[in-house]
Structures are given as C-alpha cells and as structure tokens.
Amino acid sequence: MNKVTRVNLLFLSLGSIIGSGWLYGAFYTAKAAGNSGILSWILGGIMCGIIALSYAEVILNKNFNSLSDASELSFGKSGKILVSLITWIWTALIPPIEVQATVQYASNYFSWIKTNDSTFTLTPQGYALSFFLMILLFFINIFAINTVGKFNKVITVFKVFIPIFVACIFIFVIFHNPTNAIKNLSTDMFSSGISGMLSAISACGIAFSFIGFQTAIFLANETDNPQKNVPFAVFGSILIACFVYVLIQISFNLSLPNEYIANGWANIKFAGDAGPIAGLLAIFGFASISILLYADAIVSPFGTGLSYKISASRVLGNIAENRFLPFFISAKNRYGSPYIANIINLIIGLVFISLVSGWQNMIAILCALIILTMAYVPIYVIFARSSHNFSSNFKVKNYNLISFLSFYFSNIMLLWCGTLALKYTIIIFYVFFIGNLIIDLAKKSFKFNFIYHIFLPTHLSSIGVFAYFKSQNESIYFDLISQFIFSLLLICIAKYFALKDTKHSDIKVANTTH
C-alpha cells in the first residue's frame, strides 16, 4: 500500500485548516473584537499549537497504534469506545457541512440552487448538486490516499494563493490611502474588551479553523516516517495557516473604509457584506477579481471536506478493527481505502444534508464536539508518562505544564462555544455514555473506572454549569479564573489516579514474580 508522503501530509493538514473560514472569519472577528481580532488569530494559533504538542506526543508514542489506544489506557475499554464514537461523529459531519458551504457560495451565481426564502433552503436541484458533490468526494477518496493527496495538493495551493493574493490587493489599497488605515488602527483596539478578543477564538471560527491540524494525526500510521513527518505536517500547517489568517485580518481591518465603522466595529455594514471579502473588493473597484474569489469560495470548503472525508473513513475503520463495530466495516480495497466505512459515512452525509439546509447552525455544536475530544488528549499524556508506557523520539519537555495548558485552553474554548452548543454536546455525550453503560451491564462486563465513570461526566457537566453562570453574568475574568482552577483541579485528580494505577500495576507484577 502506498504511504502518504511528507509533503502530502502537510498539504492534507493545511487543506483542513484553510477552508471556508477565511471568507467570513476576518469579517466576524473584526465585528467581535475590532483590531484586537489580529491578536485573536495569533492567540488561537498558539493555543492550538500547544494542544498539538500533546497530540504529537501521544500519536508518536510507539506503544500506541492510534489515539484510541491512548484513550483505553486512560479511560478503559468503554472510554475508548466513547471517545472513538464522538470523534467519528464530528469527522463524519464536516464533509457534508463543507459541501453545503460550497453549494451555498455557488448559489450567489446560480439562483436555482436555493429557494427565495429568507433562510437558506435548497431546491430539489440544490439537493441534487449537494448529493453529487458528496458522491464525488466518495469516489475520489477510494482511489488511494496519495491520489487524494496529489488532488488535494493542487486544491490547497489554490486555497493558500487566493487569500494571500486578496490580502495583497487590500495592502495595495492601504498604501494608496494610508490616512484611512491610520484612522482604522486608532479606532477601538479592544472594541469589545479583552472578552471580545478571547471569545472570538471560539465564536468566530478561529478555533474551528486551526483544529484542522488533526488530519495529520489521523493519518500518522499511513506515512512512512511518522516521527518526522507528523510534527512537520502539524506544526508546519499551523504556522502557514496562522500567517495567512493574520495577514487577511490585518489587511481587512486597515483597508476597510473608515465610514463603515463610524458606529463601531460591532456595527460594520457595507454593500455586499453577505460575502464580505468579495463585497469589499467590489467597493475598491476590483469586482472582476471577485469571480476568482467565488471560485475559491467553492474550492476551499470542498477541499476541506475532502481532507475530512479521508479522516472520517479512517476513524470508523479503526473502530471496526478494534471490534467495537462489525469487523467487515474496516475492509480495505486494493488502494488501501476502507471502502465500506466510506459508504457508511456517505450515507450519513446524505441524510444530514437532507435534514439540514445551511451549515451555520451546526458549526458551534461541531466545534464543541471537536474541542471536547481535544480536552482528553493531555489526560492521555499524563497516563502514558505516569505509567512509563512511553516510547518515542518525540518527547515534550515539561509535559506536566504542557498537559495542564492544553487542558486549560481546551476547557476555555469549550466554554466559549456557548450554552446551546454545549447542550447538544452534553446530549450526544450522554447518549453514547449511557448506551455503553447499558451494553456493559447487559454483557456483565461492567468494570468501574473512576476516570471514565466519574471524571469524564463531571468534566463536561461542570463546563455546562459554568456556561450557564457565564450567560447570566458575562465576565472574562470569571471565564479565565474559573477554568484555571477547575482545570488545575482535574489535572491533579487525573495525575493522582494515573500514579495510583501504576502503583497497583507494579504491586501486581511484584506479587506475580514472587
């Protein structure tokens, strides 16, 4: 089976990060945070970069074949099933969401895609186009991972080039009207305070964009030298994407005509702001270039959907290989693609598109599901290190500090997703959790695990309680301090049980020896 090359792994990860986010991210971040939105992107990149350190240490641990193996060490077999199912759900939902984004952008040119309703609703022809694109993703994916990688490389180069090209146009406008740029720069650096700058990381698609680095993690076992290729792809993609997004935000904020922010950044309004980047280009007299922009608006989400289509099939295939689902689901064709898993994900995607028109309402919920699984990764690191179950050339220094920061940042971003997103995330979590519990009791295989049965439900439920208090009394200091104390407490508890389990294991080994 062909292995994923180092460059293809980088482009697959970068293709997941630079999706539809840049087309609206700058606009909504400017509304939420003003000029401090530039710092939001930098901080978001740094936070996800630190979290990625924990991911890299776990996935490059030679004692683990995948993240699910690490979750079993920390949470037990039932915990492994729970985390695998949640991960599969969010990876399976991203391709149809990105396909809907592609179709929604295309509707600006092709009116037959949507109805005339005020809310975005697909026509029968629109549904047909969406189904066609999902099926196209399916067939591209089953050809072979490197074939997909080569196809995705072309898309990703296009996706990176267009934002930089647009930013250069905005910079050209800035140099021809420096007075406007100076006015914008002096207009409310922190328009919504520190709170607006930080909450924009979750609320405006910044976190959602950067967590695309996980594509390289999911494909770690399909590259020829994961110890070198995975860190190269993960941190390389985050760094490149951070540069692109910051450049877009700076050029957008400084080139925007000052009269459009006369009532403050939160009230930005101009002709064509439904497609803000294209609308701004038209205002500057570059309307013809907006055609290229709309082409990218179609290609970017489609490319991101392609990257996650690969990830979703691998996640479902791994669940089946571990016998949590029928083993035949993991069957691979001669190209190395788990084709049955792809068929299942295709059906889920088609059903999802049939039930939901427009992708905006699902983004916050999806983001919360992703961040929840991210919060578990530093726990894996603590258990692996404490149990001496660690073998890797990639070793993070001060892992206790990095694990705490990763957990802390994940909890903060989860809190900032909002009460509605957390409500649905809690429902999904408990459906899987209770389902697992019922199956374990029915099979008489129940085995109490404090981290799984107490720690995990307490963690998510507590975040929900914090979100409720946050909705009643908005305070960034409450967010930062409460999550700092909460995260530190839970990390200490996890460390205690990790060391306790190791001690018990050592005693059993000693007794067996004697």
Side-chain angles (χ1 to χ4, degrees):
M1 183 180 71
N2 291 331
K3 291 288 188 176
V4 187
T5 66
R6 187 182 194 186
V7 174
N8 281 347
L9 196 64
L10 170 67
F11 276 91
L12 283 164
S13 186
L14 185 60
S16 296
I17 296 176
I18 302 180
S20 56
W22 83 272
L23 295 160
Y24 287 98
F27 178 69
Y28 288 117
T29 301
K31 286 175 72 73
N35 286 318
S36 65
I38 298 165
L39 298 177
S40 300
W41 284 102
I42 296 173
L43 288 173
I46 292 173
M47 291 168 74
C48 288
I50 290 175
I51 293 171
L53 287 172
S54 295
Y55 267 92
E57 174 156 323
V58 171
I59 202 62
L60 296 177
N61 188 339
K62 296 174 184 177
N63 293 328
F64 300 139
N65 290 321
S66 64
L67 283 172
S68 61
D69 287 344
S71 65
E72 183 172 17
L73 175 66
S74 306
F75 307 151
K77 186 176 179 180
S78 295
K80 179 179 181 178
I81 297 172
L82 175 70
V83 175
S84 297
L85 289 172
I86 294 174
T87 302
W88 167 52
I89 287 295
W90 71 252
T91 53
L93 290 183
I94 289 180
I97 287 174
E98 293 293 334
V99 161
Q100 287 204 31
T102 298
V103 172
Q104 189 164 329
Y105 293 135
S107 68
N108 288 316
Y109 273 105
F110 305 107
S111 58
W112 49 267
I113 289 177
K114 63 178 181 179
T115 65
N116 294 322
D117 297 339
S118 56
T119 57
F120 184 84
T121 306
L122 292 170
T123 62
Q125 297 94 323
Y127 281 114
L129 178 60
S130 299
F131 290 173
F132 169 77
L133 291 177
M134 283 296 298
I135 294 170
L136 181 61
L137 286 177
F138 167 77
F139 279 109
I140 292 174
N141 192 17
I142 64 172
F143 277 135
I145 184 65
N146 260 328
T147 302
V148 174
K150 292 171 185 175
F151 184 80
N152 185 76
K153 191 188 297 182
V154 175
I155 292 178
T156 303
V157 169
F158 184 73
K159 288 165 65 175
V160 173
F161 169 76
I162 295 300
I164 293 176
F165 178 65
V166 169
C168 288
I169 293 176
F170 289 164
I171 292 171
F172 172 81
V173 172
I174 292 170
F175 275 108
H176 280 74
N177 191 0
T179 304
N180 180 81
I182 293 172
K183 286 182 180 179
N184 286 5
L185 194 60
S186 61
T187 302
D188 291 336
M189 177 64 185
F190 293 90
S191 60
S192 299
I194 301 294
S195 176
M197 179 190 72
L198 295 176
S199 61
I201 294 172
S202 290
C204 299
I206 295 174
F208 181 75
S209 295
F210 279 119
I211 52 185
F213 75 81
Q214 294 187 57
T215 296
I217 301 296
F218 293 136
L219 299 174
N221 291 327
E222 299 189 37
T223 187
D224 53 2
N225 190 349
Q227 296 291 331
K228 291 184 178 180
N229 293 354
V230 171
F232 173 79
V234 168
F235 300 111
S237 60
I238 289 176
L239 187 62
I240 294 171
C242 190
F243 169 78
V244 172
Y245 280 124
V246 169
L247 185 64
I248 288 286
Q249 192 68 58
I250 291 173
S251 59
F252 179 89
N253 280 27
L254 298 187
S255 64
L256 185 69
N258 188 256
E259 59 265 27
Y260 298 139
I261 56 173
N263 296 318
W265 286 101
N267 298 304
I268 300 174
K269 190 172 182 61
F270 55 86
D273 59 8
I277 303 294
L280 205 55
L281 285 173
I283 290 171
F284 295 148
F286 295 95
S288 58
I289 297 178
S290 64
I291 297 175
L292 188 62
L293 185 68
Y294 279 117
D296 180 72
I298 295 173
V299 170
S300 286
F302 187 74
T304 302
L306 176 60
S307 295
Y308 276 107
K309 190 77 171 71
I310 299 168
S311 300
S313 64
R314 267 56 183 181
V315 172
L316 182 56
N318 288 337
I319 294 174
E321 285 177 355
N322 285 288
R323 306 288 181 171
F324 300 147
L325 291 174
F327 186 73
F328 72 87
I329 292 175
S330 65
K332 296 181 179 180
N333 60 16
R334 63 191 180 95
Y335 300 108
S337 175
Y339 65 98
I340 295 179
N342 269 309
I343 292 173
I344 294 172
N345 289 333
L346 172 64
I347 293 171
I348 290 174
L350 295 178
V351 170
F352 181 74
I353 289 174
S354 300
L355 296 175
V356 182
S357 281
W359 58 280
Q360 295 89 339
N361 293 332
M362 287 299 298
I363 289 297
I365 300 171
L366 189 67
C367 194
L369 285 169
I370 297 171
I371 294 172
L372 177 62
T373 58
M374 290 171 64
Y376 297 153
V377 176
I379 307 299
Y380 306 159
V381 174
I382 287 175
F383 270 80
R385 289 290 194 101
S386 300
S387 64
H388 311 297
N389 200 341
F390 181 80
S391 176
S392 174
N393 295 328
F394 185 89
K395 189 173 184 179
V396 175
K397 295 181 180 179
N398 301 315
Y399 80 93
N400 283 315
L401 176 61
I402 295 300
S403 296
F404 165 69
L405 290 176
S406 298
F407 191 59
Y408 176 47
F409 291 155
S410 297
N411 288 338
I412 287 177
M413 290 192 290
L414 190 57
L415 179 65
W416 290 336
C417 287
T419 52
L420 181 63
L422 280 169
K423 181 179 76 173
Y424 285 107
T425 300
I426 290 171
I427 290 172
I428 292 171
F429 174 91
Y430 276 105
V431 166
F432 288 142
F433 182 83
I434 294 172
N436 267 341
L437 187 61
I438 292 173
I439 292 172
D440 286 342
L441 292 172
K443 292 182 175 180
K444 298 181 179 179
S445 60
F446 176 81
K447 185 177 181 181
F448 180 75
N449 181 303
F450 179 87
I451 297 296
Y452 173 65
H453 292 103
I454 304 297
F455 183 97
L456 296 189
T458 301
H459 166 247
L460 183 56
S461 299
S462 297
I463 295 288
V465 172
F466 283 124
Y468 172 77
F469 284 116
K470 171 182 167 62
S471 66
Q472 300 300 310
N473 185 21
E474 191 77 27
S475 171
I476 192 62
Y477 302 108
F478 170 79
D479 298 350
L480 297 175
I481 296 173
S482 66
Q483 293 314 297
F484 183 90
I485 297 172
F486 176 66
S487 300
L488 184 60
L489 175 63
L490 289 191
I491 280 288
C492 289
I493 292 173
K495 182 76 174 181
Y496 168 78
F497 277 91
L499 292 172
K500 182 180 178 182
D501 289 350
T502 302
K503 184 178 179 180
H504 285 172
S505 297
D506 291 342
I507 291 173
K508 287 181 181 179
V509 171
N511 290 337
T512 302
T513 304
H514 288 90

